[in-house]
Amino acid sequence: MSFPELQDRPIKETICLFDVDGTVTPARQSASPEMLKLLLQLREKCAIGFVGGSDLVKQQEQLGTPSVPVTSLFDFCFAENGLTAYRLGQPLESTSFLKHLGEPNYQKLAKFVLRYISELEGLPAMRGTFIEFRNGMINVSPVGRNASKQERDEFEAWDKGTGCRAKFVEVLKKEFADLGLTYSIGGQISFDVFPTGWDKTYALRHVEAEKQVSGIDYKHIHFFGDKSFKGGNDYEIYSDERTIGHAVKGPEDTMKIVRETFGL
């Protein structure tokens, strides 16, 4: 399917950016056909992109199909908060968390995280992959990213009652105050750790760079996200003065707001 060139989209100087989990898709599940159809309709009118904390492989699982790469469904793909980025299917320059932090500091952080999780009491389950190493961050999960859907739901309910993730983050902030890290709770079971300034607002530098690439100055940057509260991983970009933030309750709410805002 072909779309008008970016500079020829009917709604000028406008781009819509979407969080993935809980905004375009149910958490860690695939996008509905209805959602994908609406995004195609929106793309006819203005530029669209996603800004996700996960790596591109996971976003491919949720948004793409074996025969349709996710990079073909959006004009801009910002995986890992934009540290891995694609424009019209072509990769942009990426950045490395490990290079920024250094191996010795990373190992101190990783060992502390694993020790802390090993001493947690009352967890409803413990599965595998407690630290997921990504290009631009690490993702920490007390229950483990290998948890099943039911185990994720159980942990989410337990975490709401105990504040496990919020307490964990406070401990890390004190222990590693000298590393200049930001901690962001997102999804059901985990939180992200990345250098300060490498939150989802990192993706905006690619949007702003479009002025040099194609001459388009995106003056209206709409962002849709479900974790827009303080401490949530959408908060920084949602509240940034450069964006028009839309707090959503889930994919159905996202579709409703998109339709109302853009007359679809």
Side-chain angles (χ1 to χ4, degrees):
M1 188 171 181
S2 61
F3 298 89
E5 297 292 330
L6 292 176
Q7 59 269 28
D8 296 330
R9 304 284 165 95
I11 305 176
K12 304 293 183 188
E13 300 177 334
T14 297
I15 183 170
C16 288
L17 299 176
F18 297 87
D19 165 54
V20 180
D21 263 4
T23 299
V24 173
T25 76
R28 294 301 304 129
Q29 296 178 51
S30 298
S32 69
E34 185 185 5
M35 173 64 81
L36 293 174
K37 183 181 176 184
L38 181 64
L39 290 173
L40 289 176
Q41 291 170 342
L42 182 61
R43 193 176 178 188
E44 292 281 356
K45 287 180 171 275
C46 66
I48 66 168
F50 70 76
V51 188
S54 297
D55 59 30
L56 196 66
V57 172
K58 289 191 179 60
Q59 285 142 5
Q60 173 64 31
E61 289 169 3
Q62 289 178 269
L63 299 170
T65 69
S67 60
V68 180
V70 66
T71 52
S72 71
L73 297 175
F74 295 82
D75 300 301
F76 296 91
C77 299
F78 301 130
E80 300 184 60
N81 293 351
L83 297 166
T84 298
Y86 283 75
R87 176 191 182 273
L88 301 177
Q90 297 303 309
L92 301 174
E93 190 177 352
S94 66
T95 313
S96 162
F97 174 74
L98 185 60
K99 199 185 296 180
H100 178 86
L101 205 61
E103 186 68 32
N105 281 332
Y106 170 70
Q107 287 199 22
K108 278 183 204 168
L109 174 63
K111 287 174 184 176
F112 185 93
V113 164
L114 293 171
R115 189 162 56 248
Y116 185 96
I117 291 173
S118 75
E119 293 170 358
L120 282 172
E121 297 292 340
L123 277 164
M126 286 183 80
R127 298 300 176 254
T129 315
F130 302 104
I131 298 175
E132 184 172 80
F133 183 80
R134 300 175 183 171
N135 181 54
M137 67 181 78
I138 60 168
N139 178 266
V140 176
S141 175
V143 66
R145 295 196 63 87
N146 293 0
S148 67
K149 172 74 168 64
Q150 182 182 337
E151 289 160 349
R152 286 166 178 262
D153 293 342
E154 288 169 356
F155 174 82
E156 183 179 30
W158 179 79
D159 182 58
K160 280 177 179 168
T162 61
C164 169
R165 286 186 290 175
K167 289 173 187 170
F168 197 165
V169 162
E170 287 309 309
V171 169
L172 290 172
K173 280 180 179 175
K174 290 190 182 80
E175 187 70 23
F176 297 98
D178 59 323
L179 293 187
L181 297 172
T182 292
Y183 305 84
S184 187
I185 296 170
Q188 291 180 289
I189 62 167
S190 63
F191 59 88
D192 297 329
V193 184
F194 48 85
T196 299
W198 288 20
D199 52 55
K200 287 187 178 177
T201 60
Y202 191 94
L204 296 179
R205 68 184 63 194
H206 297 299
V207 174
E208 291 176 324
E210 191 60 25
K211 193 172 182 181
Q212 279 70 54
V213 177
S214 66
I216 302 170
D217 181 7
Y218 285 117
K219 290 173 181 165
H220 312 290
I221 305 171
H222 292 263
F223 174 77
F224 299 81
D226 69 314
K227 296 288 190 296
S228 54
F229 51 85
K230 192 155 188 167
N233 66 352
D234 296 324
Y235 175 75
E236 288 84 5
I237 189 169
Y238 167 80
S239 59
D240 193 283
E241 61 182 14
R242 293 168 290 179
T243 67
I244 302 160
H246 302 273
V248 304
K249 300 182 184 73
E252 293 293 328
D253 198 31
T254 301
M255 289 191 284
K256 178 174 175 285
I257 294 171
V258 167
R259 288 184 177 120
E260 288 171 354
T261 305
F262 295 98
L264 295 171

